[in-house]
Amino acid sequence: MLPGIRGVGKTTLLYQAYYYLLNEKHILPDQIIYLSCDDLNNIVDCNIREIVDIYLNNQFNTQLRLLDKEIFLLIDESQYDKNWSMSGKIIYDRSEKIFMVFTGSSALNLEYNADAARRMFKRVVTPLNYNEHLIEI
């Protein structure tokens, strides 16, 4: 879980992870899912778990419990799914083959439930300080 204020680079980190998996680790494109929940809710009212279920059914003709491939799920702006932590918990409990990264605003810290908390590792993404910014230039 990567919470942080807007504009610190959470989406950029997800894109970098996507390209790393694709180009450095040679993971097939159909095994990497990038999902932006803010875009998703503009199109249809559904949740992360439903999207994953639909994807697995359409792409691999399988379901969470029967999945035999490793899948990387990169979820941006997850706070737009009000039940994102429960979706993550259910996906985690039903398949050891799915690795998930969730990003969202700092308010995300307050919204995850106790069941999801013990299944998640949280790394807060903070803005660069002045010295770090100089190193990046």
Short mmCIF file of all heavy atoms in Angstrom, two decimals, residues 36-86:
data_model
loop_
_atom_site.label_atom_id
_atom_site.label_comp_id
_atom_site.label_asym_id
_atom_site.label_seq_id
_atom_site.Cartn_x
_atom_site.Cartn_y
_atom_site.Cartn_z
N SER A 36 -6.81 2.22 -12.76
CA SER A 36 -7.00 3.51 -12.10
C SER A 36 -8.46 3.62 -11.69
O SER A 36 -9.35 3.67 -12.53
CB SER A 36 -6.62 4.65 -13.04
OG SER A 36 -6.83 5.87 -12.39
N CYS A 37 -8.70 3.64 -10.40
CA CYS A 37 -10.08 3.64 -9.90
C CYS A 37 -10.80 4.96 -10.16
O CYS A 37 -12.02 4.97 -10.25
CB CYS A 37 -10.10 3.31 -8.42
SG CYS A 37 -9.66 1.60 -8.08
N ASP A 38 -10.07 6.07 -10.30
CA ASP A 38 -10.78 7.31 -10.60
C ASP A 38 -11.35 7.27 -12.01
O ASP A 38 -12.46 7.70 -12.26
CB ASP A 38 -9.91 8.55 -10.38
CG ASP A 38 -8.61 8.54 -11.18
OD1 ASP A 38 -8.26 7.51 -11.75
OD2 ASP A 38 -7.95 9.59 -11.19
N ASP A 39 -10.62 6.69 -12.96
CA ASP A 39 -11.15 6.51 -14.31
C ASP A 39 -12.29 5.50 -14.33
O ASP A 39 -13.29 5.67 -15.00
CB ASP A 39 -10.06 6.04 -15.27
CG ASP A 39 -9.06 7.13 -15.59
OD1 ASP A 39 -9.39 8.31 -15.39
OD2 ASP A 39 -7.96 6.79 -16.02
N LEU A 40 -12.11 4.44 -13.57
CA LEU A 40 -13.09 3.35 -13.54
C LEU A 40 -14.46 3.85 -13.10
O LEU A 40 -15.47 3.54 -13.72
CB LEU A 40 -12.61 2.26 -12.59
CG LEU A 40 -13.52 1.07 -12.40
CD1 LEU A 40 -13.63 0.28 -13.69
CD2 LEU A 40 -13.01 0.19 -11.27
N ASN A 41 -14.49 4.65 -12.05
CA ASN A 41 -15.78 5.13 -11.54
C ASN A 41 -16.44 6.14 -12.45
O ASN A 41 -17.62 6.39 -12.34
CB ASN A 41 -15.62 5.69 -10.13
CG ASN A 41 -15.49 4.58 -9.11
OD1 ASN A 41 -15.92 3.46 -9.34
ND2 ASN A 41 -14.89 4.89 -7.98
N ASN A 42 -15.68 6.73 -13.38
CA ASN A 42 -16.29 7.61 -14.38
C ASN A 42 -17.02 6.80 -15.44
O ASN A 42 -17.91 7.30 -16.11
CB ASN A 42 -15.22 8.47 -15.06
CG ASN A 42 -14.70 9.54 -14.14
OD1 ASN A 42 -15.39 9.99 -13.24
ND2 ASN A 42 -13.46 9.94 -14.35
N ILE A 43 -16.63 5.55 -15.60
CA ILE A 43 -17.21 4.70 -16.64
C ILE A 43 -18.34 3.84 -16.11
O ILE A 43 -19.41 3.77 -16.68
CB ILE A 43 -16.12 3.80 -17.27
CG1 ILE A 43 -15.03 4.67 -17.89
CG2 ILE A 43 -16.70 2.84 -18.28
CD1 ILE A 43 -13.79 3.92 -18.29
N VAL A 44 -18.10 3.17 -15.00
CA VAL A 44 -19.08 2.22 -14.48
C VAL A 44 -18.95 2.16 -12.96
O VAL A 44 -17.88 2.39 -12.41
CB VAL A 44 -18.86 0.82 -15.12
CG1 VAL A 44 -17.52 0.23 -14.71
CG2 VAL A 44 -19.98 -0.14 -14.80
N ASP A 45 -20.04 1.84 -12.27
CA ASP A 45 -20.01 1.72 -10.83
C ASP A 45 -19.75 0.26 -10.45
O ASP A 45 -20.65 -0.56 -10.46
CB ASP A 45 -21.34 2.19 -10.23
CG ASP A 45 -21.32 2.17 -8.72
OD1 ASP A 45 -20.23 2.35 -8.14
OD2 ASP A 45 -22.39 1.97 -8.12
N CYS A 46 -18.51 -0.04 -10.19
CA CYS A 46 -18.15 -1.40 -9.77
C CYS A 46 -16.93 -1.32 -8.87
O CYS A 46 -16.39 -0.24 -8.63
CB CYS A 46 -17.92 -2.30 -10.96
SG CYS A 46 -16.59 -1.77 -12.01
N ASN A 47 -16.48 -2.46 -8.37
CA ASN A 47 -15.35 -2.43 -7.45
C ASN A 47 -14.17 -3.23 -8.00
O ASN A 47 -14.27 -3.93 -9.00
CB ASN A 47 -15.79 -2.92 -6.06
CG ASN A 47 -16.26 -4.37 -6.07
OD1 ASN A 47 -15.59 -5.23 -6.60
ND2 ASN A 47 -17.41 -4.61 -5.47
N ILE A 48 -13.06 -3.13 -7.29
CA ILE A 48 -11.81 -3.76 -7.71
C ILE A 48 -11.98 -5.26 -7.85
O ILE A 48 -11.53 -5.86 -8.82
CB ILE A 48 -10.69 -3.41 -6.71
CG1 ILE A 48 -10.39 -1.92 -6.78
CG2 ILE A 48 -9.46 -4.25 -6.97
CD1 ILE A 48 -9.56 -1.39 -5.62
N ARG A 49 -12.63 -5.86 -6.89
CA ARG A 49 -12.79 -7.32 -6.93
C ARG A 49 -13.58 -7.75 -8.16
O ARG A 49 -13.22 -8.73 -8.82
CB ARG A 49 -13.49 -7.81 -5.67
CG ARG A 49 -13.61 -9.30 -5.67
CD ARG A 49 -14.04 -9.83 -4.33
NE ARG A 49 -14.48 -11.19 -4.52
CZ ARG A 49 -15.67 -11.64 -4.20
NH1 ARG A 49 -16.55 -10.85 -3.65
NH2 ARG A 49 -16.00 -12.89 -4.41
N GLU A 50 -14.64 -7.05 -8.50
CA GLU A 50 -15.42 -7.40 -9.69
C GLU A 50 -14.58 -7.28 -10.95
O GLU A 50 -14.66 -8.14 -11.83
CB GLU A 50 -16.65 -6.49 -9.80
CG GLU A 50 -17.71 -6.77 -8.76
CD GLU A 50 -18.83 -5.74 -8.80
OE1 GLU A 50 -18.65 -4.65 -9.40
OE2 GLU A 50 -19.89 -6.01 -8.22
N ILE A 51 -13.76 -6.23 -11.04
CA ILE A 51 -12.90 -6.05 -12.21
C ILE A 51 -11.92 -7.20 -12.33
O ILE A 51 -11.69 -7.74 -13.41
CB ILE A 51 -12.16 -4.70 -12.14
CG1 ILE A 51 -13.15 -3.55 -12.25
CG2 ILE A 51 -11.08 -4.59 -13.20
CD1 ILE A 51 -13.91 -3.49 -13.55
N VAL A 52 -11.30 -7.59 -11.21
CA VAL A 52 -10.35 -8.71 -11.22
C VAL A 52 -11.05 -10.00 -11.63
O VAL A 52 -10.53 -10.76 -12.46
CB VAL A 52 -9.64 -8.85 -9.86
CG1 VAL A 52 -8.83 -10.13 -9.79
CG2 VAL A 52 -8.75 -7.64 -9.59
N ASP A 53 -12.23 -10.24 -11.08
CA ASP A 53 -12.98 -11.45 -11.45
C ASP A 53 -13.31 -11.47 -12.94
O ASP A 53 -13.14 -12.50 -13.61
CB ASP A 53 -14.28 -11.55 -10.63
CG ASP A 53 -14.04 -11.93 -9.18
OD1 ASP A 53 -12.95 -12.46 -8.86
OD2 ASP A 53 -14.95 -11.69 -8.36
N ILE A 54 -13.76 -10.35 -13.47
CA ILE A 54 -14.09 -10.25 -14.90
C ILE A 54 -12.84 -10.48 -15.75
O ILE A 54 -12.86 -11.21 -16.74
CB ILE A 54 -14.75 -8.90 -15.22
CG1 ILE A 54 -16.14 -8.84 -14.59
CG2 ILE A 54 -14.83 -8.66 -16.73
CD1 ILE A 54 -16.76 -7.45 -14.59
N TYR A 55 -11.73 -9.84 -15.35
CA TYR A 55 -10.48 -9.98 -16.09
C TYR A 55 -10.01 -11.43 -16.13
O TYR A 55 -9.66 -11.96 -17.19
CB TYR A 55 -9.40 -9.09 -15.48
CG TYR A 55 -8.10 -9.15 -16.24
CD1 TYR A 55 -7.93 -8.42 -17.41
CD2 TYR A 55 -7.06 -9.95 -15.80
CE1 TYR A 55 -6.75 -8.48 -18.12
CE2 TYR A 55 -5.87 -10.02 -16.50
CZ TYR A 55 -5.72 -9.28 -17.66
OH TYR A 55 -4.57 -9.35 -18.37
N LEU A 56 -9.99 -12.08 -14.98
CA LEU A 56 -9.53 -13.47 -14.92
C LEU A 56 -10.43 -14.38 -15.75
O LEU A 56 -9.94 -15.29 -16.42
CB LEU A 56 -9.47 -13.96 -13.47
CG LEU A 56 -8.43 -13.30 -12.58
CD1 LEU A 56 -8.54 -13.82 -11.16
CD2 LEU A 56 -7.03 -13.49 -13.13
N ASN A 57 -11.72 -14.14 -15.71
CA ASN A 57 -12.65 -14.95 -16.48
C ASN A 57 -12.45 -14.74 -17.99
O ASN A 57 -12.37 -15.70 -18.75
CB ASN A 57 -14.09 -14.64 -16.08
CG ASN A 57 -15.07 -15.57 -16.74
OD1 ASN A 57 -14.82 -16.76 -16.87
ND2 ASN A 57 -16.19 -15.02 -17.17
N ASN A 58 -12.35 -13.49 -18.40
CA ASN A 58 -12.22 -13.19 -19.83
C ASN A 58 -10.84 -13.51 -20.39
O ASN A 58 -10.73 -14.00 -21.51
CB ASN A 58 -12.54 -11.72 -20.11
CG ASN A 58 -14.01 -11.42 -19.93
OD1 ASN A 58 -14.86 -12.30 -19.95
ND2 ASN A 58 -14.32 -10.16 -19.73
N GLN A 59 -9.79 -13.23 -19.64
CA GLN A 59 -8.43 -13.38 -20.15
C GLN A 59 -7.91 -14.81 -20.00
O GLN A 59 -7.22 -15.31 -20.88
CB GLN A 59 -7.49 -12.41 -19.42
CG GLN A 59 -6.11 -12.33 -20.00
CD GLN A 59 -6.10 -11.70 -21.39
OE1 GLN A 59 -6.91 -10.85 -21.72
NE2 GLN A 59 -5.18 -12.15 -22.21
N PHE A 60 -8.21 -15.46 -18.88
CA PHE A 60 -7.63 -16.77 -18.59
C PHE A 60 -8.67 -17.87 -18.38
O PHE A 60 -8.31 -19.00 -18.09
CB PHE A 60 -6.75 -16.69 -17.34
CG PHE A 60 -5.63 -15.70 -17.46
CD1 PHE A 60 -5.64 -14.53 -16.73
CD2 PHE A 60 -4.57 -15.93 -18.32
CE1 PHE A 60 -4.61 -13.62 -16.83
CE2 PHE A 60 -3.53 -15.02 -18.43
CZ PHE A 60 -3.55 -13.86 -17.69
N ASN A 61 -9.95 -17.52 -18.50
CA ASN A 61 -11.02 -18.49 -18.29
C ASN A 61 -10.88 -19.20 -16.94
O ASN A 61 -10.96 -20.43 -16.86
CB ASN A 61 -11.10 -19.49 -19.44
CG ASN A 61 -12.40 -20.25 -19.44
OD1 ASN A 61 -13.42 -19.74 -19.00
ND2 ASN A 61 -12.36 -21.47 -19.92
N THR A 62 -10.62 -18.43 -15.89
CA THR A 62 -10.44 -19.00 -14.57
C THR A 62 -10.98 -18.04 -13.51
O THR A 62 -11.50 -16.98 -13.84
CB THR A 62 -8.95 -19.33 -14.29
OG1 THR A 62 -8.85 -20.13 -13.11
CG2 THR A 62 -8.11 -18.08 -14.16
N GLN A 63 -10.86 -18.44 -12.26
CA GLN A 63 -11.27 -17.61 -11.14
C GLN A 63 -10.14 -17.57 -10.11
O GLN A 63 -9.15 -18.29 -10.24
CB GLN A 63 -12.56 -18.14 -10.53
CG GLN A 63 -12.52 -19.61 -10.19
CD GLN A 63 -13.86 -20.14 -9.78
OE1 GLN A 63 -14.45 -19.61 -8.84
NE2 GLN A 63 -14.33 -21.17 -10.44
N LEU A 64 -10.29 -16.74 -9.10
CA LEU A 64 -9.22 -16.53 -8.13
C LEU A 64 -8.66 -17.81 -7.54
O LEU A 64 -7.46 -18.02 -7.51
CB LEU A 64 -9.71 -15.62 -6.99
CG LEU A 64 -9.76 -14.14 -7.29
CD1 LEU A 64 -10.51 -13.39 -6.19
CD2 LEU A 64 -8.37 -13.59 -7.47
N ARG A 65 -9.52 -18.66 -7.07
CA ARG A 65 -9.07 -19.89 -6.39
C ARG A 65 -8.33 -20.85 -7.31
O ARG A 65 -7.54 -21.65 -6.85
CB ARG A 65 -10.25 -20.60 -5.75
CG ARG A 65 -10.87 -19.84 -4.61
CD ARG A 65 -11.91 -20.69 -3.91
NE ARG A 65 -12.74 -19.93 -3.01
CZ ARG A 65 -12.42 -19.62 -1.76
NH1 ARG A 65 -11.28 -20.01 -1.28
NH2 ARG A 65 -13.24 -18.93 -1.01
N LEU A 66 -8.59 -20.78 -8.61
CA LEU A 66 -8.00 -21.73 -9.55
C LEU A 66 -6.86 -21.13 -10.37
O LEU A 66 -6.29 -21.82 -11.22
CB LEU A 66 -9.09 -22.24 -10.50
CG LEU A 66 -10.28 -22.92 -9.82
CD1 LEU A 66 -11.35 -23.27 -10.85
CD2 LEU A 66 -9.85 -24.14 -9.04
N LEU A 67 -6.50 -19.91 -10.10
CA LEU A 67 -5.47 -19.21 -10.87
C LEU A 67 -4.13 -19.93 -10.75
O LEU A 67 -3.67 -20.23 -9.66
CB LEU A 67 -5.35 -17.77 -10.36
CG LEU A 67 -4.41 -16.86 -11.12
CD1 LEU A 67 -4.88 -16.67 -12.57
CD2 LEU A 67 -4.33 -15.51 -10.42
N ASP A 68 -3.51 -20.21 -11.90
CA ASP A 68 -2.22 -20.90 -11.90
C ASP A 68 -1.09 -20.06 -12.48
O ASP A 68 0.00 -20.55 -12.70
CB ASP A 68 -2.32 -22.24 -12.63
CG ASP A 68 -2.69 -22.07 -14.09
OD1 ASP A 68 -2.99 -20.95 -14.53
OD2 ASP A 68 -2.67 -23.09 -14.82
N LYS A 69 -1.34 -18.77 -12.74
CA LYS A 69 -0.33 -17.85 -13.23
C LYS A 69 -0.13 -16.74 -12.22
O LYS A 69 -1.05 -16.39 -11.49
CB LYS A 69 -0.77 -17.20 -14.55
CG LYS A 69 -0.93 -18.12 -15.70
CD LYS A 69 -1.42 -17.32 -16.90
CE LYS A 69 -1.64 -18.24 -18.05
NZ LYS A 69 -0.78 -18.00 -19.15
N GLU A 70 1.06 -16.18 -12.22
CA GLU A 70 1.29 -15.01 -11.37
C GLU A 70 0.72 -13.78 -12.06
O GLU A 70 0.93 -13.57 -13.25
CB GLU A 70 2.78 -14.82 -11.11
CG GLU A 70 3.35 -15.90 -10.24
CD GLU A 70 4.82 -15.68 -9.95
OE1 GLU A 70 5.50 -14.95 -10.70
OE2 GLU A 70 5.30 -16.26 -8.97
N ILE A 71 -0.03 -13.00 -11.31
CA ILE A 71 -0.65 -11.77 -11.80
C ILE A 71 -0.19 -10.62 -10.92
O ILE A 71 -0.13 -10.74 -9.69
CB ILE A 71 -2.20 -11.86 -11.74
CG1 ILE A 71 -2.71 -13.05 -12.54
CG2 ILE A 71 -2.84 -10.56 -12.19
CD1 ILE A 71 -2.52 -12.94 -14.03
N PHE A 72 0.15 -9.51 -11.55
CA PHE A 72 0.56 -8.30 -10.83
C PHE A 72 -0.55 -7.27 -11.00
O PHE A 72 -0.86 -6.87 -12.12
CB PHE A 72 1.89 -7.79 -11.38
CG PHE A 72 3.01 -8.77 -11.14
CD1 PHE A 72 3.25 -9.78 -12.05
CD2 PHE A 72 3.79 -8.68 -10.00
CE1 PHE A 72 4.27 -10.70 -11.84
CE2 PHE A 72 4.81 -9.58 -9.78
CZ PHE A 72 5.04 -10.60 -10.70
N LEU A 73 -1.12 -6.86 -9.91
CA LEU A 73 -2.26 -5.95 -9.90
C LEU A 73 -1.81 -4.60 -9.34
O LEU A 73 -1.47 -4.49 -8.16
CB LEU A 73 -3.37 -6.56 -9.05
CG LEU A 73 -4.70 -5.86 -8.96
CD1 LEU A 73 -5.32 -5.65 -10.33
CD2 LEU A 73 -5.64 -6.66 -8.07
N LEU A 74 -1.74 -3.59 -10.20
CA LEU A 74 -1.29 -2.25 -9.82
C LEU A 74 -2.51 -1.33 -9.81
O LEU A 74 -3.05 -1.00 -10.86
CB LEU A 74 -0.24 -1.75 -10.81
CG LEU A 74 0.93 -2.72 -11.09
CD1 LEU A 74 1.81 -2.19 -12.19
CD2 LEU A 74 1.72 -2.99 -9.81
N ILE A 75 -2.95 -0.94 -8.63
CA ILE A 75 -4.21 -0.21 -8.48
C ILE A 75 -3.94 1.21 -8.01
O ILE A 75 -3.45 1.42 -6.90
CB ILE A 75 -5.15 -0.92 -7.49
CG1 ILE A 75 -5.37 -2.36 -7.95
CG2 ILE A 75 -6.46 -0.17 -7.37
CD1 ILE A 75 -6.04 -3.22 -6.93
N ASP A 76 -4.26 2.17 -8.86
CA ASP A 76 -4.02 3.58 -8.56
C ASP A 76 -5.32 4.23 -8.07
O ASP A 76 -6.40 3.89 -8.53
CB ASP A 76 -3.53 4.27 -9.83
CG ASP A 76 -2.78 5.55 -9.56
OD1 ASP A 76 -2.39 5.79 -8.39
OD2 ASP A 76 -2.57 6.32 -10.50
N GLU A 77 -5.19 5.16 -7.15
CA GLU A 77 -6.33 5.90 -6.60
C GLU A 77 -7.39 4.94 -6.04
O GLU A 77 -8.59 5.09 -6.28
CB GLU A 77 -6.94 6.84 -7.64
CG GLU A 77 -5.98 7.89 -8.15
CD GLU A 77 -5.56 8.92 -7.11
OE1 GLU A 77 -6.18 8.99 -6.03
OE2 GLU A 77 -4.60 9.65 -7.37
N SER A 78 -6.95 3.97 -5.29
CA SER A 78 -7.86 2.93 -4.78
C SER A 78 -8.92 3.47 -3.84
O SER A 78 -9.96 2.83 -3.66
CB SER A 78 -7.07 1.82 -4.10
OG SER A 78 -6.31 2.31 -3.04
N GLN A 79 -8.71 4.64 -3.27
CA GLN A 79 -9.70 5.19 -2.34
C GLN A 79 -11.04 5.47 -3.02
O GLN A 79 -12.05 5.62 -2.36
CB GLN A 79 -9.18 6.46 -1.64
CG GLN A 79 -9.20 7.71 -2.48
CD GLN A 79 -7.97 7.90 -3.36
OE1 GLN A 79 -7.10 7.03 -3.40
NE2 GLN A 79 -7.90 9.02 -4.04
N TYR A 80 -11.06 5.52 -4.36
CA TYR A 80 -12.33 5.74 -5.06
C TYR A 80 -13.23 4.51 -5.04
O TYR A 80 -14.41 4.60 -5.36
CB TYR A 80 -12.08 6.20 -6.49
CG TYR A 80 -11.58 7.62 -6.56
CD1 TYR A 80 -10.28 7.89 -6.94
CD2 TYR A 80 -12.41 8.69 -6.23
CE1 TYR A 80 -9.80 9.20 -6.98
CE2 TYR A 80 -11.95 9.99 -6.26
CZ TYR A 80 -10.65 10.24 -6.64
OH TYR A 80 -10.18 11.53 -6.67
N ASP A 81 -12.69 3.36 -4.67
CA ASP A 81 -13.51 2.18 -4.41
C ASP A 81 -13.69 2.14 -2.90
O ASP A 81 -12.74 1.89 -2.15
CB ASP A 81 -12.81 0.91 -4.90
CG ASP A 81 -13.57 -0.37 -4.56
OD1 ASP A 81 -14.56 -0.31 -3.80
OD2 ASP A 81 -13.17 -1.43 -5.05
N LYS A 82 -14.89 2.41 -2.42
CA LYS A 82 -15.11 2.52 -0.98
C LYS A 82 -14.80 1.23 -0.22
O LYS A 82 -14.55 1.26 0.97
CB LYS A 82 -16.54 2.99 -0.68
CG LYS A 82 -17.60 2.03 -1.14
CD LYS A 82 -18.99 2.57 -0.90
CE LYS A 82 -19.99 1.59 -1.49
NZ LYS A 82 -21.33 2.10 -1.46
N ASN A 83 -14.78 0.11 -0.91
CA ASN A 83 -14.47 -1.18 -0.27
C ASN A 83 -13.14 -1.75 -0.74
O ASN A 83 -12.96 -2.96 -0.81
CB ASN A 83 -15.59 -2.18 -0.53
CG ASN A 83 -16.88 -1.78 0.15
OD1 ASN A 83 -16.88 -1.38 1.31
ND2 ASN A 83 -17.97 -1.86 -0.58
N TRP A 84 -12.18 -0.87 -1.07
CA TRP A 84 -10.91 -1.33 -1.64
C TRP A 84 -10.18 -2.29 -0.71
O TRP A 84 -9.62 -3.28 -1.16
CB TRP A 84 -10.01 -0.14 -1.99
CG TRP A 84 -9.43 0.53 -0.79
CD1 TRP A 84 -9.97 1.58 -0.11
CD2 TRP A 84 -8.23 0.19 -0.12
NE1 TRP A 84 -9.16 1.91 0.95
CE2 TRP A 84 -8.08 1.07 0.97
CE3 TRP A 84 -7.25 -0.78 -0.32
CZ2 TRP A 84 -7.01 1.01 1.85
CZ3 TRP A 84 -6.19 -0.84 0.56
CH2 TRP A 84 -6.06 0.04 1.62
N SER A 85 -10.21 -2.03 0.62
CA SER A 85 -9.46 -2.90 1.53
C SER A 85 -10.09 -4.28 1.63
O SER A 85 -9.39 -5.29 1.72
CB SER A 85 -9.32 -2.26 2.91
OG SER A 85 -10.57 -2.05 3.51
N MET A 86 -11.41 -4.35 1.58
CA MET A 86 -12.08 -5.65 1.61
C MET A 86 -11.81 -6.41 0.31
O MET A 86 -11.59 -7.61 0.33
CB MET A 86 -13.58 -5.49 1.84
CG MET A 86 -14.31 -6.81 2.02
SD MET A 86 -13.64 -7.87 3.33
CE MET A 86 -14.07 -6.97 4.77
#
